[in-house]
Structures are given as C-alpha cells and as structure tokens.
Amino acid sequence: MAPLRVAIVGTGNIARIHAESLRDLGDEVRLVGAVDVDPDRLAAFGDRYDVPARHRDLASLLEQERPDLVHLCTPPGSHHPLALACLQAGSTVLVEKPPTLSLAELDDLVEAERKHDAWFATVFQHRFGTGALRLRALIDAGVLGRPLVAICHTTWFRSQAYFDVEWRGRWDTEGGGPTMGHGIHQMDLLCAILGDWTEVSAIARRQARRIQTEDVSMAHVSFANGAVASVVNSLLSIREESYLRFDFERATVEVTHLYGYGDDDWRITPAPEYADEVLAAWRAGAAGVRSAHRAQFAEVVRALRAGTPPPVTSAESRRTMQLIAGVYASAFTRSPVRAAELTADSPFYRRMEGTGARW
Ligand SMILES: NC(=O)c1ccc[n+]([C@@H]2O[C@H](COP(=O)([O-])OP(=O)(O)OC[C@H]3O[C@@H](n4cnc5c(N)ncnc54)[C@H](O)[C@@H]3O)[C@@H](O)[C@H]2O)c1
C-alpha cells in the first residue's frame, strides 16, 4: 500500500514530537510537507526532518501537496480556521489539543466533517498507552464491577515566564488556563473511562499568575453511570503530578505520571475476595506501549487504512470539551451545571469564559 501523505502545520515545540513519531511509523506514512508563518522555524524544521515541500500558508500546501492527513500543531486560536480549510480541501485533520476554543467552533467542524469527505480528530495521546487500554478492557469484561469514585489531578507548575509566549494565558488565543490547556488530557482520559458526565460543580481562581485566565480550578463531576469524580487542574503545584484514580466495586486502579505513563506507572489494588480473578485479568491484559503521540498515530493510520474515523473522534473530544465548558460555566455562574444546559444559547457554548471570569 502507498504510504499516507502527511503534512505538519506549525513547526514549533510539539511539531518535533509529531515528526519523530511519524518517522517511527516507517513506510506507513510519508511527511510530504510542512507549513509555518515563521520562515526561520520552517526552514530549520524542514532541514532537520527532511521535509520536501515547505509552505508559508496552508492554502498553498493543500492545493499543491494534496495530503491525506494534516497534523495541526499551531496555537489553539488558529485550530478552527485551519482545520476547516483542511476539511474543505478533503484532507483529514488531526489537531493538537485543545481541539478548538469553544463548543461552537467544534460543532462547526463536525458540520464540515458531514459535508466533506474527511475526518476531524484530536490528539489525546494518553488514551493509547496499554495501561488505559487494559483498564478499558477489564471494565468492558465486567471484571471490576461498577465504578463508584474517581480522582483526576493535573497538579503542574508553570512560572510567570511560561506565559511570556503571546498566545498563552488568554481567553481569545488559548481558550482558558489549566482546565483547557493542561488538565484537558487527564479529563479526557477520565471521560474515556467513565463515559458521559451529567452535572458539574466547580470553582476557578486566579491565585498567583498575572494572566487573564484561571491558574487553578476544582470540580465535582457526576457521571451517567453513577460514578462521581473530583477534579483539580493547577499550574501552581511545585511537586508536579498527573494522577487518576478509579475506585470500582472490586478494585482501585491508579496511574501516577507527569507527561506520559508506562505500564509500571499503573497500580491495581483488588478487594480481597476478588483478588485472584482481578489480578489474573490485569496481568493478561495488553502491555508494553507508553502513552505517547506515536501510539495514537499508529491507531490513526490503522483507522484511515480501514476507512473508519480516526481517533480521537470529534464526538469523543466534544464530550471532554463540554466538561471543560461545564467547569467554567459552573465556576463563573456559581451554580451547578448540567451537561444538557450547555446548548447553543448558553454563553459558555460560544466562549469558554461565557459570562466573564470573576476575579
Ligand atoms: N499533546 C500534548 O501533549 C501537547 C504538548 C504541548 C503542546 N500541545 C499543543 O500543541 C499546539 C502547539 O503548541 P506548541 O507549544 O508547539 O506551540 P509553539 O508556539 O511552539 O509552535 C506553534 C507554531 O505554529 C506556528 N503558527 C502559528 N500560526 C500559524 C498559522 N496560522 N499557520 C502556520 N503556522 C502557524 C508558529 O509560528 C509556531 O512555529 C497547542 O495547541 C498546544 O496546546 C500539545
């Protein structure tokens, strides 16, 4: 089979991980082109990764290179217009998180997916490590019983200097603070494991950084399956950690890491009466794959070859974006918010800060 023709748009920090992960996929893919508005970055990236075609704008790349798949690695504020251009040109687009600045922008892309022969997918690489896949398989097999309680912590640290980059810490370019930009990874995995959420109560604060957005948020979330979760998103936490904990009827399952986990970062503690069954199933599960871009890209290629929507699909990422909108809506209106309330007439549908941040 001919390699998939892939292009990268935005050649900054995360684009390097994309180029290296694509290289690891060997003959499955060919990096045919790159785009950046900054000519120096584009040239350095193009030389380093041996990219044949280099363009200063997406339109010329789409027209001349006709990629099957475009990886969007630009700042969040540009995701919607660039992804729309890809879909309209018939190229599938894999966009870095957060997929868009708002639910309204995301729904516009869902509409474009329907009209054009191409898909819209989001990078949420932590769904693809074998720890998460194994947990999902045990849930589906009924080994763990009902999920009851969950904890989802993104306690990271970013100094004031981190926000010197002009698109960071602003509603109009980043769409939010740690809830939108950092905790989104852990909240996405939380939703991938627990499914649809129904109600959220949250606070958001700007405690220490000179930015427009929050630097910490805390939320209690109810899920349709009856589970409840406590979520913390912080950029003020000097001992940094990404931590997810799921208490099921028959076992507690935890993962502790920072920017990516391996199998050893997972821990399972069974209830004594189910220990043999639970541990046997856990040990027999998938193993050996870290949560990283490469793991997701392999699944994206597999899906495109099979003619199916690549992960993480727009429907799946929408649920996570809706939870983020719910956290802000609850924090800024100071009341619980149900998922069903976040319709097109909610101010939090069009902008994550909705009625305005109250600092
Ligand atoms: N999945 C992850 O773990 C992860 C980690 C870091 C960043 N990200 C995400 O990746 C995205 C990029 O982050 P980054 O840190 O690499 O940013 P960056 O600022 O280092 O790089 C962005 C690049 O995009 C270019 N650019 C901006 N607008 C453009 C346009 N309209 N057309 C073409 N090029 C354009 C810039 O010149 C720059 O080179 C963000 O959405 C961020 O949230 C994801």
Side-chain angles (χ1 to χ4, degrees):
M1 252 191 190
L4 279 180
R5 296 169 56 76
V6 183
I8 293 181
V9 182
T11 60
N13 289 322
I14 203 65
R16 290 194 280 274
I17 306 280
H18 281 247
E20 284 157 25
S21 306
L22 287 169
R23 201 165 53 190
D24 290 344
L25 297 182
D27 293 341
E28 290 277 351
V29 294
R30 189 186 311 141
L31 182 54
V32 296
V35 182
D36 204 297
V37 290
D38 180 323
D40 296 337
R41 283 200 192 174
L42 180 62
F45 182 88
D47 292 347
R48 183 165 175 182
Y49 297 107
D50 205 12
V51 187
R54 300 156 196 198
H55 294 259
R56 294 286 295 282
D57 68 89
L58 176 62
S60 73
L61 173 122
L62 290 171
E63 195 183 309
Q64 290 175 39
E65 314 308 331
R66 306 233 160 248
D68 301 308
L69 174 65
V70 175
H71 288 215
L72 217 50
C73 302
T74 56
S78 62
H79 290 177
H80 170 262
L82 297 177
L84 188 59
C86 293
L87 294 171
Q88 286 169 340
S91 294
T92 287
V93 58
L94 175 64
V95 62
E96 265 295 349
K97 61 81 197 165
T100 54
L101 295 180
S102 67
L103 286 170
E105 285 188 355
L106 188 51
D107 284 350
D108 195 47
L109 296 176
V110 171
E111 187 57 32
E113 257 187 321
R114 280 200 202 101
K115 281 196 204 139
H116 302 281
D117 190 20
W119 282 296
F120 175 80
T122 305
V123 176
F124 283 126
Q125 69 268 26
H126 302 310
R127 288 185 180 221
F128 298 89
T130 34
L133 298 178
R134 193 189 312 196
L135 172 56
R136 189 66 258 164
L138 261 66
I139 294 169
D140 291 347
V143 175
L144 299 175
R146 278 195 308 134
L148 304 172
V149 182
I151 292 173
C152 176
H153 286 177
T154 303
T155 39
W156 292 7
F157 185 82
R158 296 291 183 270
S159 69
Q160 188 63 42
Y162 171 83
F163 297 99
D164 288 346
V165 174
E166 98 276 359
W167 57 267
R168 291 205 175 115
R170 289 169 42 185
W171 294 107
D172 63 338
T173 49
E174 196 170 16
T179 318
M180 180 72 154
H182 309 79
I184 190 172
H185 278 300
Q186 277 61 249
M187 285 189 282
D188 178 71
L189 185 51
L190 181 78
C191 290
I193 297 299
L194 293 182
D196 289 340
W197 65 277
T198 53
E199 187 173 293
V200 59
S201 294
I203 60 165
R205 294 278 189 277
R206 195 175 56 177
Q207 298 279 67
R209 299 288 172 264
R210 293 183 305 281
I211 52 179
Q212 284 180 6
T213 67
E214 85 286 4
D215 52 22
V216 63
S217 70
M218 297 180 178
H220 291 160
V221 188
S222 302
F223 286 83
N225 63 12
V228 288
S230 170
V231 179
V232 177
N233 303 297
S234 159
L235 293 181
L236 308 173
S237 306
I238 291 165
R239 189 183 73 72
E240 298 184 279
E241 186 171 82
S242 304
Y243 176 68
L244 279 157
R245 172 182 174 129
F246 300 94
D247 295 319
F248 296 88
E249 286 173 312
R250 298 179 182 180
T252 290
V253 181
E254 298 162 275
V255 59
T256 309
H257 68 111
L258 188 52
Y259 302 137
Y261 61 76
D263 291 339
D264 292 345
D265 297 315
W266 288 79
R267 183 160 66 158
I268 187 160
T269 308
E273 63 272 38
Y274 295 104
D276 290 348
E277 183 194 346
V278 166
L279 291 179
W282 184 254
R283 288 183 190 127
V289 177
R290 287 189 67 80
S291 73
H293 284 71
R294 185 196 333 182
Q296 178 168 358
F297 295 176
E299 293 306 316
V300 168
V301 170
R302 204 190 318 272
L304 289 176
R305 292 256 187 251
T308 56
V312 171
T313 63
S314 50
E316 287 277 311
S317 60
R318 192 185 191 287
R319 181 171 56 198
T320 301
M321 285 286 281
Q322 194 186 33
L323 176 55
I324 292 166
V327 169
Y328 288 124
S330 174
F332 297 150
T333 62
R334 301 190 178 177
S335 58
V337 168
R338 285 178 291 110
E341 287 172 51
L342 293 164
T343 52
D345 48 13
S346 161
F348 294 90
Y349 177 82
R350 304 224 154 261
R351 297 194 321 262
M352 284 292 173
E353 80 272 38
T355 48
R358 300 188 181 186
W359 314 129

